[in-house]
Amino acid sequence: MRVVHSDVLVIGGGLAGLRVAIAARERGFSARVLSLVPAKRSHSAAAQGGMQASLANVFKGQGDNEDVHFEDTVRGSDWGADQEVVRMFVNTAPKAVRQLAAWGVPWSRVRKGEREVVINGQKVKLMERPEAHGLIGQRDFGGTKKWRTCFVSDGTGHAMLYAMGDRAIAEQIPVSERVEALALIHDGSRCHGAVVRDLITGELCAHLAKATCIATGGAGRLYRVTTNAVINEGIGHALVMETGVARLGNMEAVQFHPTAIFPAGILVTEGCRGDGGLLLDGSGHRFMPDYEPEKKELASRDVVSRRMEEHIRAGKGAQSRFGEHLWLDITLLGRAHIEKNLREVKEICQYFLGIDPAQEWIAVRPAQHYTMGGVRTRHTGESPWLKGLFAAGEAACWDMHGFNRLGGNSVAETVVAGMIVGEYIADFCADPGNDATVPMNLVRECLEREQAKLDHLLKGGSEDANELRARMQQVMTARVGIFRTGSDLEQAVRELEELLVRSRNIGVRCRSPGANPELVTAYRTQKMIKLALTVACGALARTESRGAHFREDHPRRNDRDWLKRTLAVWKHDDDTLPALEYEALDVSRMELPPGWRGYGAKDYVDHPETPIRRAEIEAIRSRLAGADRFALQAALMPYEHLLPPRFHGRNERIEEKL
Amino acid sequence: MNAPRRALNISVLRFNPRDPDSTPRLQTYGLEEADGMTLFIALNEIREKQDPSLQFDFVCRAGICGSCAMLINGKPGLACRTLTKLLGPEITLAPLPGFELIADLSVNTGKWMRAMSERLRTWVHATERDLDLRRMEEPMDPDLAERIYELDRCIECGCCFAACGTARMRPDFVGAVGLNKIARFRLDPRDSRSDDEWYEIVGSDDGIFGCMSLLGCHDVCPKSLPLQIQIAFIRRRMAAMGLS
């Protein structure tokens, strides 16, 4: 039995995982990162458009600050987010961008003087201030009041991941590449690490650690059409759910990105619309202002995706041999802009569509993009149910996105969460009270159990994993997509449950020693079907519409009955459905009580406490009339005590000197 | 309206070094071409329908992560963004040379790149360690930021190294990928290293002086990085250092 020890075991080598490991390392703890692929090939690299942080350097970002970023994020979440966590996030995001700048990210910089931009289909001249010259620039993104998205052309995630990956190498953090966690090692109350399979040799070993952190990203591959990389299969989520103890939160909250190229599903950034690109229908008509007069193409993603599908249903789509789609027009931005700030988009259009986006429209249709739900944690990143188990980034639900994430808030979250959760993990490791004796018989049992599962698959049942997976993906895309209904969801649950039962009889034909890709597909498919069921069951139970979760049979947001987070756990291995529970959000402590988002549907059912909290807030505001925004914020919802001390403090801006 | 679909024959150089029964061989798979088919789609179809043991690597399938570099009809390239319609009906695929073979089309570029990064110390060596994160960032010239990004776009796919003549003769050669990193960090004012320190790192035949200027790297780079000019520039600077 091979056993590897570290203080901190990070599962996942993307931005969040690497940042957690760096934080632990900086505090003197040994950290090891496990990654399915070389760390710099993680899906973080695919983030194109940028990272939100309220630096307020550009002309159209003036007046931006944490308060505006906070409100945009909470409205974007359709009030599903944990507002304290959002506050922690918005105050740390500028620090994260600035630290990354020092670590080498070549952020696009402000150039002083006049420049021409496209806003609402019109060319507009802006004057950038001389004092902003050379500072980090921002572009416009959906669902934001100010230009806040810091960017590196449209390769932001790539540049961030490379700087982070190089930083991890500088810190001599070992990254085990091409390995996969198969199960968490735990005794029902304390997590001790994971059983890990080497994807080159096929060997199993045990990784033991004081703290284990899930940073495995999203689960887009539950769907047939997704922008996600092929490794985003939600296995980290499944490992947690299979403990039978730790819970996942809000797995039914799934984001569909408006502009995936059609039919391949590859992302083109929201920056296309942020920079002035328009959505056109089959007849070339710009339709978004008809639906969303305020924010138009730049409403939040859930709203834009729904409006696009609604328009296609109304028969207004463009026809192609693959089916219906809409158009994204960025020709009005001009070649120079596209070749400088949207060059990945240009390459993608060139290679996958065979078009030049400076001259031709891009065929797009919404596709699965982001998993808002994830491993439910406290604000520290720790699971309340399994001591020593942490999560960060897209895989986590600490919960800053609620039911819809804003563009530019994902890569921002990965790094911010990595910083904060990394500090809390270091605190956890530093506390002798958290020392644990790992019973080696438990480790051996876990290893043997996982080996037995693999042997069972290799012994050969009659079911084909590829077929079950394809069917699952089809069910998810057809019935658990942008528009949901009770009857569709019931049928989805039924069918997925059947697939789950069948998945217990998967057989693997390939006997080749070592990697064996068929075996990998087999055990992952078993886990993915469980996770798909969790999404479908959560969606079926939630009889309201909130953010990206839209029920045609329950189209209103219902704060009275549903201002709560779904929790899911897989209690016993032979269960065929997850167990669902709920956790209420506390309106009486919200800084921003529920209301209209500023785009999308205007009617909703109020929570009985909302008017009370509104009145309280009004009273606080009038009592503190004349006080600065920091004093007011602290009176409404204090949060600084929740942040690790090293991330306390205000953020300097041109207009707000320290 | 529907043109008859082409029949493709994809021949893959197969070998699994972990399997004692495996010998290197070319195996041909026939399949029907589909609209918009890429090598990503074709290889997955082969693995799902014909041969579950076939090994290859894809991650982003969008041409940005650098996982799927292989020899496509003898030339290094990214398989995921290669449309089959741009190739003839007979397609030959082989693993990227110069890297440890895992099996079939899967090679361990990640291990090589990490070793290269450790050796060349490819991270910003800042003078100041304790940054006050509350303060505004240091300004940077907007043009300089763009020039750094131009070199930062490398995706470490390994195509340049596979196309490198020097790499065939000098196993420890850092390759265009490594020399481009040196150019990138040398350009970056946040990195405090001086030319004599760069010389210590690449002023050798395994570094800049090993390059024979065949420039296969430049021809095959999927991101069209300006490798030719960067290598020439670094060589001039390092030669000047060596002579001084």
Side-chain angles (χ1 to χ4, degrees):
Chain A
M1 180 168 74
R2 201 164 79 82
V3 178
V4 184
H5 293 269
S6 338
D7 293 325
V8 181
L9 178 68
V10 181
I11 303 175
L15 279 170
L18 290 171
R19 189 62 186 84
V20 165
I22 291 167
R25 188 77 192 87
E26 282 178 339
R27 292 268 302 270
F29 297 99
S30 67
R32 177 175 287 273
V33 176
L34 308 180
S35 182
L36 294 172
V37 297
K40 285 176 182 166
R41 313 216 189 284
S42 302
H43 190 53
S44 303
Q48 297 171 356
M51 158 168 184
Q52 284 204 44
S54 57
L55 300 189
N57 290 330
V58 294
F59 175 79
K60 295 286 276 180
Q62 285 180 76
D64 198 14
N65 59 38
E66 297 82 5
D67 297 352
V68 190
H69 193 183
F70 169 80
E71 290 211 359
D72 285 346
T73 303
V74 173
R75 288 177 198 279
S77 80
D78 220 354
W79 277 273
D82 181 316
Q83 298 193 4
E84 289 174 339
V85 168
V86 177
R87 269 289 171 193
M88 293 165 65
F89 162 73
V90 297
N91 199 57
T92 310
K95 298 177 173 70
V97 171
R98 287 165 173 167
Q99 184 170 60
L100 286 168
W103 287 359
V105 173
W107 297 111
S108 294
R109 302 286 172 146
V110 182
R111 192 187 306 274
K112 68 183 170 193
E114 193 175 77
R115 65 172 174 139
E116 193 175 80
V117 298
V118 178
I119 298 175
N120 192 22
Q122 305 294 319
K123 292 201 163 131
V124 179
K125 288 210 162 42
L126 299 180
M127 184 65 84
E128 296 297 350
R129 297 168 290 176
E131 60 269 36
H133 185 75
L135 297 178
I136 296 169
Q138 291 80 40
R139 60 163 38 135
D140 199 8
F141 251 49
T144 64
K145 285 206 175 69
K146 301 284 180 185
W147 290 23
R148 185 184 301 125
T149 304
C150 307
F151 62 102
V152 185
S153 182
D154 61 348
T156 313
H158 165 87
M160 291 170 68
L161 184 61
Y162 271 60
M164 193 73 84
D166 286 335
R167 191 74 234 148
I169 295 170
E171 295 285 352
Q172 299 176 309
I173 293 168
V175 178
S176 303
E177 296 175 354
R178 295 175 184 269
V179 300
E180 172 167 16
L182 297 180
L184 295 175
I185 299 170
H186 69 99
D187 59 10
S189 60
R190 179 75 163 88
C191 182
H192 296 296
V195 175
V196 175
R197 180 169 183 269
D198 187 315
L199 291 172
I200 296 177
T201 65
E203 286 160 12
L204 298 194
C205 71
H207 277 264
L208 302 183
K210 205 161 168 182
T212 303
C213 183
I214 303 284
T216 48
R221 290 282 155 178
L222 297 180
Y223 286 80
R224 183 175 62 79
V225 186
T226 173
T227 64
N228 282 193
V230 300
I231 53 172
N232 300 126
E233 299 179 305
I235 302 304
H237 296 89
L239 298 181
V240 170
M241 189 164 68
E242 285 180 339
T243 61
V245 189
R247 266 71 165 161
L248 302 184
N250 286 348
M251 286 307 292
E252 67 269 32
V254 179
Q255 179 170 84
F256 295 81
H257 195 291
T259 59
I261 64 168
F262 185 78
I266 294 168
L267 175 74
V268 292
T269 174
E270 184 158 319
C272 291
R273 283 170 290 134
D275 290 0
L278 304 175
L279 291 169
L280 308 178
D281 66 14
S283 59
H285 169 65
R286 182 187 176 197
F287 59 94
M288 277 308 295
D290 305 342
Y291 296 102
E292 295 293 331
E294 285 93 357
K295 294 293 287 182
K296 306 180 183 72
E297 281 86 357
L298 290 172
S300 61
R301 288 176 177 172
D302 57 328
V303 170
V304 177
S305 289
R306 261 197 306 278
R307 296 307 196 185
M308 290 170 74
E309 290 296 326
E310 192 179 338
H311 205 63
I312 289 174
R313 280 179 170 194
K316 305 284 180 59
Q319 305 291 333
S320 83
R321 60 189 156 174
F322 300 108
E324 288 168 296
H325 63 85
L326 294 161
W327 299 108
L328 172 65
D329 175 12
I330 61 170
T331 60
L332 67 166
L333 308 184
R335 181 173 299 282
H337 180 90
I338 291 169
E339 289 183 353
K340 193 169 92 178
N341 285 328
L342 296 169
R343 54 196 297 175
E344 298 298 330
V345 168
K346 181 168 182 276
E347 274 190 13
I348 286 167
C349 289
Q350 180 189 331
Y351 283 100
F352 293 94
L353 294 173
I355 65 151
D356 174 2
Q359 289 188 327
E360 291 164 90
W361 298 343
I362 308 167
V364 294
R365 189 163 181 173
Q368 193 286 346
H369 181 61
Y370 189 82
T371 308
M372 270 81 71
V375 179
R376 179 73 186 124
T377 73
R378 301 188 180 103
H379 70 280
T380 57
E382 192 178 13
S383 168
W385 299 277
L386 202 51
K387 190 175 172 182
L389 176 67
F390 292 78
E394 187 173 350
C397 176
W398 60 336
D399 170 2
M400 73 162 263
H401 304 302
F403 278 75
N404 176 66
R405 170 178 72 75
L406 293 185
N409 262 355
S410 63
V411 275
E413 180 193 27
T414 60
V415 181
V416 168
M419 292 162 81
I420 294 172
V421 173
E423 286 300 318
Y424 280 121
I425 286 178
D427 289 348
F428 179 90
C429 289
D431 181 350
N434 294 323
D435 285 345
T437 316
V438 188
M440 289 316 284
N441 57 341
L442 176 73
V443 179
R444 184 177 299 281
E445 275 167 30
C446 271
L447 264 169
E448 286 171 354
R449 191 182 316 129
E450 292 309 311
Q451 188 60 57
K453 285 187 197 166
L454 299 181
D455 293 344
H456 182 74
L457 287 168
L458 285 165
K459 222 166 62 200
S462 56
E463 297 287 355
D464 174 20
N466 283 314
E467 186 194 323
L468 300 186
R469 168 186 297 228
R471 188 63 210 148
M472 169 199 73
Q473 290 170 330
Q474 182 54 32
V475 169
M476 291 299 284
T477 288
R479 301 195 187 279
V480 199
I482 295 179
F483 290 103
R484 301 170 174 180
T485 65
S487 59
D488 266 352
L489 291 166
E490 273 170 24
Q491 199 170 332
V493 169
R494 242 190 339 265
E495 199 170 339
L496 291 169
E497 207 177 349
E498 279 168 27
L499 292 175
L500 176 72
V501 173
R502 286 173 62 189
S503 75
R504 291 171 178 163
N505 193 29
I506 288 175
V508 174
R509 291 164 292 163
C510 174
R511 291 285 175 282
S512 73
N516 198 343
E518 193 190 9
L519 179 62
V520 174
T521 303
Y523 60 71
R524 287 190 193 166
T525 298
Q526 292 178 324
K527 289 180 158 59
M528 289 169 79
I529 295 174
K530 285 182 181 170
L531 200 59
L533 266 166
T534 308
V535 177
C537 287
L540 175 60
R542 185 171 285 272
T543 49
E544 66 152 357
S545 292
R546 183 180 297 276
H549 169 71
F550 188 81
R551 285 283 299 261
E552 290 186 271
D553 45 352
H554 299 276
R556 289 204 292 177
R557 192 180 86 206
N558 181 345
D559 293 340
R560 185 189 63 211
D561 302 319
W562 284 104
L563 195 57
K564 51 192 182 187
R565 211 164 270 130
T566 308
L567 300 177
V569 63
W570 208 275
K571 289 240 166 90
H572 306 286
D573 225 20
D574 45 3
D575 286 350
T576 58
L577 291 173
L580 299 186
E581 304 154 8
Y582 292 92
E583 174 192 2
L585 274 71
D586 188 354
V587 177
S588 72
R589 288 172 53 209
M590 287 183 182
E591 179 176 340
L592 185 66
W596 182 51
R597 302 167 82 188
Y599 43 79
K602 284 189 179 163
D603 65 330
Y604 49 87
V605 180
D606 245 338
H607 191 279
E609 283 184 46
T610 299
I612 303 168
R613 180 59 181 158
R614 280 223 188 89
E616 274 175 15
I617 289 173
E618 276 318 304
I620 295 170
R621 280 184 189 280
S622 56
R623 178 160 56 79
L624 289 180
D628 69 14
R629 66 184 186 91
F630 301 102
L632 179 62
Q633 196 287 320
L636 292 173
M637 190 184 71
Y639 73 94
E640 197 169 49
H641 62 286
L642 302 173
L643 277 173
R646 68 188 297 183
F647 302 132
H648 285 202
R650 297 176 185 182
N651 296 300
E652 189 177 39
R653 295 181 181 80
I654 293 174
E655 262 108 23
E656 284 185 311
K657 296 287 183 202
L658 288 184
Chain B
M1 157 150 177
N2 287 329
R5 291 169 188 270
R6 287 199 305 173
L8 302 178
N9 281 314
I10 298 187
S11 302
V12 179
L13 178 55
R14 301 206 57 192
F15 177 48
N16 181 355
R18 270 156 208 88
D19 182 352
D21 298 331
S22 174
T23 48
R25 66 200 184 280
L26 215 53
Q27 188 167 348
T28 303
Y29 303 94
L31 78 163
E32 190 181 86
E33 190 171 39
D35 288 324
M37 184 178 256
T38 57
L39 289 176
F40 163 72
I41 295 170
L43 285 168
N44 274 290
E45 189 179 313
I46 291 169
R47 183 152 84 185
E48 281 177 24
K49 305 222 169 109
Q50 300 187 35
D51 189 341
S53 70
L54 183 63
Q55 293 194 42
F56 47 77
D57 294 318
F58 289 100
V59 179
C60 75
R61 61 81 169 89
I64 52 166
C65 79
S67 298
C68 64
M70 58 183 71
L71 294 184
I72 303 163
N73 291 337
K75 191 177 164 187
L78 300 180
C80 74
R81 69 177 197 187
T82 301
L83 292 165
T84 53
K85 72 175 180 192
L86 301 177
L87 306 171
E90 308 288 327
I91 300 167
T92 306
L93 303 177
L96 208 59
F99 300 95
E100 181 184 300
L101 179 70
I102 293 173
D104 303 334
L105 300 172
S106 174
V107 293
N108 207 334
T109 48
K111 186 175 168 186
W112 191 95
M113 294 296 167
R114 167 101 189 198
M116 178 273 294
S117 282
E118 287 173 352
R119 195 170 134 207
L120 302 185
R121 305 170 67 79
T122 62
W123 55 88
V124 166
H125 287 53
T127 37
E128 202 184 343
R129 282 283 312 187
D130 291 316
L131 188 73
D132 185 347
L133 296 179
R134 300 169 308 149
R135 299 278 170 197
M136 280 168 60
E137 65 275 15
E138 280 290 314
M140 179 184 275
D141 176 63
D143 293 323
L144 178 58
E146 280 169 25
R147 281 164 57 213
I148 295 171
Y149 176 59
E150 186 65 32
L151 307 184
D152 203 52
R153 292 180 73 237
C154 171
I155 55 173
E156 298 187 1
C157 61
C159 285
C160 60
F161 195 71
C164 176
T166 302
R168 298 288 85 74
M169 299 183 296
R170 297 186 181 278
D172 292 331
F173 186 54
V174 299
V177 52
L179 296 172
N180 177 67
K181 302 245 174 216
I182 298 297
R184 182 246 176 271
F185 287 101
R186 194 179 167 282
L187 191 59
D188 196 326
R190 295 165 291 201
D191 198 312
S192 61
R193 285 175 284 184
S194 59
D195 270 350
D196 47 342
E197 287 167 272
W198 297 121
Y199 189 86
E200 286 302 311
I201 296 174
V202 289
S204 70
D205 285 349
D206 282 333
I208 191 67
F209 301 125
C211 172
M212 302 183 291
S213 303
L214 297 176
L215 296 171
C217 55
H218 188 95
D219 295 339
V220 300
C221 176
K223 293 287 147 183
S224 307
L225 295 178
L227 299 172
Q228 176 175 13
I229 194 160
Q230 293 304 325
I231 289 172
F233 180 70
I234 294 291
R235 180 162 39 217
R236 265 182 55 180
R237 302 301 308 185
M238 291 301 107
M241 275 310 300
L243 293 171
S244 67

